[in-house]
Amino acid sequence: MLHGLVPVPVHWRKVKCGKDRCKRCPHGPYPYLRVKKEGRWRWKYLGKGWQPPEGFTRAGEFRERLARYRRIVERLVELREKLGELERGLRL
């Protein structure tokens, strides 16, 4: 159900250009992916013109939706337990 909402793990980073006298550093933000390569985490630059795919869900929005989903599931479990107690009470 939630797999369609999973965000692309894109990080918007500001980076230094490496010039000694650059007064505008850091530059950006630029889109990067954090990928594991040869057992170490690396940053992969996505390119200047990168655009999020259609239906892209931002990480913050995804976390909010996931938290709401978990609260709903917790409430359903509580209601099922209460319903079970009521059913047992009616059988007596």
Side-chain angles (χ1 to χ4, degrees):
M1 179 172 150
L2 291 174
H3 71 279
L5 299 174
V6 175
V8 176
V10 175
H11 299 267
W12 293 87
R13 301 182 63 206
K14 290 191 171 201
V15 293
K16 292 185 177 184
C17 65
K19 296 177 183 174
D20 291 334
R21 297 184 180 192
C22 182
K23 295 181 181 187
R24 293 186 174 181
C25 274
H27 301 276
Y30 300 115
Y32 284 83
L33 279 179
R34 188 170 176 235
V35 294
K36 199 165 198 175
K37 187 175 181 181
E38 298 174 5
R40 298 182 69 187
W41 287 102
R42 306 280 184 193
W43 292 105
K44 182 179 179 185
Y45 178 57
L46 293 174
K48 185 177 183 179
W50 181 84
Q51 292 293 318
E54 188 175 325
F56 176 77
T57 302
R58 296 182 181 182
E61 182 183 347
F62 175 74
R63 283 191 295 272
E64 289 170 10
R65 289 183 181 187
L66 184 59
R68 182 171 179 253
Y69 173 78
R70 287 179 176 157
R71 286 192 304 271
I72 290 170
V73 169
E74 281 179 19
R75 183 70 177 137
L76 283 172
V77 168
E78 291 171 9
L79 290 172
R80 279 188 170 171
E81 289 173 359
K82 288 182 180 181
L83 183 60
E85 290 172 13
L86 290 171
E87 287 176 344
R88 284 189 293 277
L90 289 174
R91 289 185 199 150
L92 294 174

